[in-house]
C-alpha cells in the first residue's frame, strides 16, 4: 500500500462509497495470499484465556467495546509483523496504539465508514489478517454468513465489538470481555491517569465455562502485564480505599491519545 505511517481512511457523507472503492483498489494491489497460520498470537498475559493460547485464523470473536481491550488483542500480532486494521472506532488514538506496542506503519484505520462499515471490513479481510470492527448497524444473517465465508477463505480473524443495540456477533467463535476496570493515578476527582487494571474473561465454543485473568493495560513496557492474585487483591484494596468522586466532579475520561480505556 505504500503507507509511511498509520494508514487512515476517513470517508464522510457521500464520499464514503468512493472511499471504500479506493480502499478496495489499494487492497487489490497488496495481493495477500491466504494465511497458513492456524492461530494468531495474543499477548502472553492473555494466552491462558483461549484453549490454544491464540486467536483462531478465519474466525470471528465478540469483544467488549473497550479500546484498551482491542489494542491489547492486536498488539502481539502487530509485534510479529502482521498487518492490523481498525474499522469504525474514531476515538481510538494512535498514541494509545503505540503505547501497546502496535507497529503504526502496519496499522490501517478506517475511523468513520458510516453505513459502509461492513463493506470496509469485507474488503480489508482480503489482505489484512487481523481486523477489529465496531458495527455501525445491525448486520443481516446473510451478510454475516458471507463475511464469515470470506474470513475462512482468507484466514482472517475478526474482532467485533458488541453493544446493547446489536449484541454478540452471529457465528462468533467466542466472546472476550473486559470488566472490573480500575483506573490508576487519579485522586479525588483529579490527577493524571497512569493506566488501569482490569479483569479479562473469555468463553469459546470449546471452553463454555470460561477463564479469567487480571491484567494491567498496558504494562510498564507497553505489553499487557499479568497481575498475580495477591498483587491483584492489593491493587483492588488500594483503589477502593481512594476517596469517591464528589458530586459534580468529572468521571475519569477515556484517553485515546495516551492509553485508551
Amino acid at each position: 500500500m505504500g503507507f509511511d505511517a498509520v494508514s487512515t481512511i476517513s470517508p464522510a457523507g457521500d464520499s464514503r462509497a468512493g472511499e471504500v472503492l479506493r480502499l478496495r483498489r489499494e487492497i487489490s494491489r497488496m495481493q495477500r495470499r491466504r494465511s497458513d497460520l492456524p492461530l494468531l498470537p495474543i499477548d502472553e498475559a492473555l494466552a491462558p484465556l483461549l484453549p490454544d493460547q491464540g486467536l483462531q485464523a478465519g474466525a470471528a470473536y465478540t469483544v467488549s467495546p473497550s479500546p484498551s481491550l482491542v489494542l491489547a488483542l492486536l498488539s502481539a500480532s502487530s509485534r510479529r509483523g502482521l498487518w492490523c486494521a481498525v474499522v469504525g472506532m474514531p476515538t481510538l488514538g494512535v498514541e494509545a496504539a503505540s503505547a501497546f506496542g502496535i507497529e503504526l506503519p502496519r496499522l490501517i484505520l478506517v475511523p468513520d465508514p458510516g453505513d459502509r462499515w461492513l463493506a470496509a471490513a469485507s474488503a480489508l479481510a482480503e489482505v489484512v489478517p487481523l481486523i477489529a470492527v465496531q458495527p455501525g448497524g445491525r448486520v443481516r444473517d446473510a451478510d454475516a454468513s458471507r463475511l464469515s465465508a470470506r474470513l475462512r477463505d482468507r484466514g482472517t480473524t475478526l474482532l467485533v465489538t458488541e453493544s446493547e443495540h446489536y449484541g454478540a456477533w452471529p457465528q462468533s467463535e467466542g466472546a472476550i470481555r473486559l470488566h472490573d476496570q480500575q483506573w490508576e493515578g487519579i485522586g479525588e476527582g483529579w490527577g493524571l491517569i497512569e493506566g488501569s487494571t482490569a479483569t479479562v474473561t473469555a468463553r469459546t465454543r470449546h471452553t463454555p465455562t470460561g477463564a479469567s485473568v487480571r491484567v494491567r493495560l498496558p504494562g510498564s513496557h507497553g505489553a499487557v502485564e499479568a497481575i498475580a492474585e495477591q498483587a491483584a487483591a492489593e491493587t483492588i484494596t488500594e483503589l477502593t480505599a481512594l476517596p469517591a468522586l464528589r458530586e459534580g466532579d468529572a468521571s475519569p475520561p477515556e484517553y485515546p491519545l495516551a492509553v485508551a480505556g
Side-chain angles (χ1 to χ4, degrees):
M1 271 191 179
F3 297 105
D4 295 324
V6 180
S7 307
T8 305
I9 300 173
S10 182
D14 295 337
S15 66
R16 287 183 175 130
E19 291 291 343
V20 170
L21 290 175
R22 183 169 68 85
L23 174 62
R24 288 184 184 275
R25 288 196 298 269
E26 292 290 338
I27 284 172
S28 67
R29 294 169 53 190
M30 294 178 70
Q31 295 294 317
R32 182 176 75 96
R33 297 180 179 179
R34 187 190 187 284
S35 173
D36 293 325
L37 295 174
L39 295 170
L40 295 186
I42 58 175
D43 199 278
E44 184 178 348
L46 300 176
L49 294 173
L50 299 175
D52 296 314
Q53 300 192 339
L55 298 165
Q56 285 193 15
Y61 292 83
T62 299
V63 302
S64 294
S66 162
S68 289
L69 179 60
V70 169
L71 294 175
L73 293 171
L74 296 179
S75 61
S77 291
S78 179
R79 292 196 300 269
R80 296 281 185 89
L82 299 179
W83 280 75
C84 300
V86 180
V87 179
M89 299 183 70
T91 62
L92 188 144
V94 295
E95 291 187 29
S98 180
F100 275 84
I102 292 175
E103 296 292 334
L104 300 185
R106 291 189 296 273
L107 175 64
I108 299 174
L109 299 178
V110 188
D112 185 19
D115 58 4
R116 304 287 295 178
W117 63 272
L118 189 62
S122 181
L124 286 165
E126 290 289 334
V127 291
V128 179
L130 182 56
I131 303 168
V133 59
Q134 182 168 290
R138 188 177 298 277
V139 64
R140 297 181 301 175
D141 290 341
D143 291 333
S145 295
R146 279 193 289 270
L147 180 54
S148 294
R150 176 162 295 184
L151 297 177
R152 291 191 298 270
D153 178 64
R154 305 302 295 175
T156 296
T157 300
L158 188 70
L159 307 174
V160 188
T161 63
E162 64 180 337
S163 72
E164 59 183 16
H165 302 294
Y166 312 128
W169 182 257
Q171 304 179 27
S172 178
E173 174 64 26
I176 306 172
R177 295 187 172 94
L178 180 145
H179 53 96
D180 299 331
Q181 189 166 23
Q182 303 284 346
W183 298 98
E184 298 177 344
I186 55 173
E188 192 175 347
W190 57 272
L192 178 65
I193 295 177
E194 298 174 349
S196 71
T197 59
T199 299
V200 181
T201 301
R203 290 182 174 85
T204 70
R205 297 177 188 270
H206 303 291
T207 57
T209 57
S212 297
V213 294
R214 188 77 183 170
V215 296
R216 182 170 285 108
L217 299 170
S220 56
H221 300 290
V224 182
E225 195 173 291
I227 302 176
E229 290 185 10
Q230 181 178 354
E234 291 173 355
T235 299
I236 293 172
T237 299
E238 292 172 1
L239 290 168
T240 54
L242 290 173
L245 293 176
R246 296 189 300 262
E247 185 176 354
D249 285 339
S251 299
E254 291 198 359
Y255 46 111
L257 294 182
V259 179

